[in-house]
Amino acid sequence: MHFLPTTARGPIFMLTATCSYVINDTMMKLATEGLPPYEVLFLRGVAAFLLGMPMLLMLGYRTQMHLLFEPRVLTRNLFELVAILCYVVALANMPIGDASALGQITPLLVLLGVSILFGEKIGGVRMALICLGFAGALMVAQPTMQGISPYALLALANAVFCAARDIAGRRVAGHIPGMIVAMSAVVVVLAGAGVMHVSTEEWVAPGPHHLLLLLGAGFFLIFGHFFIFMAYRIGPTGAVAPFYYTFTLWAVISGLIVFGELPNVLALCGIALVVASGLTIVLLDERRRRLTVVA
């Protein structure tokens, strides 16, 4: 990685992470065409566990393995579990671009949550941007007289629980490595998906192509966890965070190339609103931080 310019490493790592997550989602969606969603999530978890544990050992975290079950880490990852249980069903039943776009309101919900829970001031401009982001999410979900699609509601629930996860993540002690937190999430989701599969689904024997897809999904999940962790470690948050929103771009490209799906005009406008509002908030926060440092 040393051949990359220092200032470019964080953004490149974030681009790599978001692309990896979308490849993971794409492989999972393909696998749900023949397998129940929670079985897919469980098998993906097995693959991620088998691939991720050696990575932890290679990174030198052998003596810190007990932190996988540290109470605040577990609390954070229980929210992750509920979020992904909602998301995998939504992903199996709606276009990947739409499902991903609805998840992009997570940072806006985090801002709202910390304001309510911790009394952090949002300000009029940021509140207006949050409202624009929510309006964009509604344009993607496209409610009718019969209400919003249950799968769109699940995608929105994913965003809510991801925001709760990120807020809970603020309570995780700084000495706990990011990869430990990520691997703990893999373990918690693996266990939760197993319980949901046994209690709500019938086992369907996976074919060789299913196993290959889920092995690939597990690999790209760990790859994404690693590079998002490295992005925030190497690059300043203000330089890295805007590239988080490329998640939606990758998802739209995947939907078009792999599934022949393209969001309609209203949904594309909604995606643009969600991304623009989120990016503007990130850039405003970075500008305010720099002004504070100068002062």
Side-chain angles (χ1 to χ4, degrees):
M1 300 297 178
H2 296 291
F3 61 87
L4 295 173
T6 303
T7 55
R9 289 177 192 170
I12 289 173
F13 287 174
M14 179 59 82
L15 284 169
T16 304
T18 56
C19 184
S20 297
Y21 283 133
V22 170
I23 293 173
N24 157 71
D25 285 352
T26 301
M27 290 181 166
M28 287 183 66
K29 184 172 176 64
L30 287 169
T32 60
E33 292 175 1
L35 299 175
Y38 294 138
E39 181 180 336
V40 165
L41 192 59
F42 173 75
L43 292 174
R44 193 276 309 262
V46 172
F49 180 82
L50 294 176
L51 293 167
M53 289 304 289
M55 183 183 291
L56 279 186
L57 297 176
M58 286 189 292
L59 289 171
Y61 294 140
R62 183 187 300 273
T63 60
Q64 296 175 283
M65 300 292 277
H66 65 283
L67 295 175
L68 291 168
F69 307 104
E70 195 273 337
R72 290 183 177 180
V73 173
L74 283 179
T75 299
R76 184 251 184 211
N77 289 331
L78 285 172
F79 285 120
E80 169 84 9
L81 169 62
V82 180
I84 191 62
L85 289 177
C86 294
Y87 183 69
V88 71
V89 177
L91 183 65
N93 292 280
M94 64 187 298
I96 187 172
D98 290 1
S100 298
L102 290 171
Q104 299 305 286
I105 66 169
T106 293
L108 308 180
L109 292 172
V110 170
L111 277 177
L112 205 56
V114 296
S115 173
I116 295 169
L117 296 174
F118 306 129
E120 292 186 16
K121 293 183 179 179
I122 293 181
V125 174
R126 290 206 298 174
M127 180 58 76
L129 289 167
I130 289 171
C131 291
L132 279 178
F134 290 155
L138 285 176
M139 290 165 69
V140 175
Q142 296 179 19
T144 64
M145 293 299 291
Q146 287 73 43
I148 298 179
S149 153
Y151 303 117
L153 285 175
L154 285 172
L156 287 169
N158 164 63
V160 171
F161 285 108
C162 280
R165 172 204 65 196
D166 292 343
I167 293 170
R170 290 181 168 217
R171 300 292 190 180
V172 174
H175 70 275
I176 300 178
M179 280 301 294
I180 288 285
V181 177
M183 198 61 206
S184 173
V186 169
V187 172
V188 170
V189 171
L190 171 60
V195 170
M196 289 299 293
H197 170 62
V198 169
S199 58
T200 65
E201 297 173 338
E202 292 291 330
W203 173 262
V204 177
H209 68 291
H210 292 126
L211 295 177
L212 284 174
L213 283 170
L214 294 170
L215 184 64
F219 171 78
F220 281 103
L221 177 69
I222 295 297
F223 204 66
H225 282 334
F226 176 75
F227 273 99
I228 203 167
F229 169 63
M230 291 301 295
Y232 282 116
R233 167 169 279 184
I234 290 172
T237 301
V240 170
F243 291 89
Y244 170 81
Y245 289 94
T246 57
F247 197 113
T248 300
L249 174 63
W250 296 128
V252 170
I253 292 171
S254 171
L256 181 60
I257 294 175
V258 180
F259 302 104
E261 303 167 341
L262 183 66
N264 60 34
V265 174
L266 184 60
L268 286 172
C269 291
I271 290 170
L273 261 185
V274 170
V275 172
S277 59
L279 278 175
T280 304
I281 286 175
V282 169
L283 296 174
L284 285 176
D285 285 352
E286 178 63 9
R287 180 174 178 273
R288 184 174 63 177
R289 185 190 68 79
R290 289 178 178 174
L291 290 174
T292 301
V293 169
V294 171

